[in-house]
């Protein structure tokens, strides 16, 4: 039953998850563009931190937008059908909700893994000034 719920949720939200995964992969790479230059002045640490801080706002915005859009597309057919399908299934309502929640969690793992892989790639390519450290796993 979980496979069918996962398949239907994927069918309904594949465009959102796909675009969100691409955006999640691009965000860490774009945010370290200033740090990736080899000939950068080491005295410009404050400018680097301010640039990273301005990009840092987009991470929670992306996470909230993806979570809300996937939730809306997942529950929209149930709401449109007045939850008749969910109530006609031979499983308790709480079990159905857990199945839907688990399927959404599996779908949203792709953008999370994209942020992790992109953050690892971005920190490997960036040259950080002395005294600064990168934490790509904590970011993801």
């Amino acid at each position: 039953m979980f496979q069918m719920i996962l398949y239907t949720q994927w069918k309904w939200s594949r465009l959102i998850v796909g675009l969100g995964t691409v955006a999640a992969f691009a965000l860490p790479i774009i945010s370290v563009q200033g740090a990736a230059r080899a000939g950068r002045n080491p005295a410009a640490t404050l400018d680097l931190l301010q640039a990273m801080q301005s990009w840092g706002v987009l991470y929670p915005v992306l996470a909230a937008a993806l979570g809300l859009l996937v939730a809306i597309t997942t529950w929209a057919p149930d709401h449109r059908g007045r939850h008749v399908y969910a109530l006609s299934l031979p499983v308790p309502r709480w079990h159905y909700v857990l199945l839907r929640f688990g399927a959404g969690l599996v779908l949203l793992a792709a953008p999370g893994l994209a942020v992790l892989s992109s953050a690892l790639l971005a920190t490997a390519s960036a040259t950080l000034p002395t005294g600064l450290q990168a934490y790509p796993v904590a970011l993801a």
Side-chain angles (χ1 to χ4, degrees):
M1 182 160 198
F2 179 73
Q3 290 177 342
M4 290 310 300
I5 289 176
L6 180 63
Y7 173 72
T8 56
Q9 282 189 227
W10 167 250
K11 197 167 84 173
W12 293 330
S13 63
R14 65 181 170 237
L15 182 64
I16 294 168
V17 171
L19 291 175
T21 302
V22 169
F25 186 80
L27 188 58
I29 292 175
I30 292 171
S31 66
V32 297
Q33 287 299 317
R37 294 186 299 226
R40 188 177 42 80
N41 183 9
T45 305
L46 183 61
D47 294 335
L48 174 67
L49 290 175
Q50 287 176 345
M52 294 297 291
Q53 184 179 9
S54 66
W55 282 101
V57 174
L58 296 177
Y59 291 100
V61 168
L62 179 66
L66 275 175
L68 285 172
L69 288 173
V70 168
I72 287 170
T73 58
T74 296
W75 289 101
D78 274 352
H79 186 67
R80 199 173 326 126
R82 300 195 184 270
H83 304 279
V84 171
Y85 173 72
L87 294 173
S88 66
L89 290 174
V91 295
R93 179 79 170 153
W94 63 270
H95 190 275
Y96 178 69
V97 169
L98 285 178
L99 288 172
R100 292 302 276 291
F101 179 76
L105 191 64
V106 168
L107 289 176
L108 290 176
L113 291 174
V115 167
L116 177 63
S117 63
S118 178
L120 289 171
L121 181 68
T123 56
S125 68
T127 55
L128 296 176
T130 306
L132 288 181
Q133 293 181 349
Y135 300 98
V137 177
L139 176 67

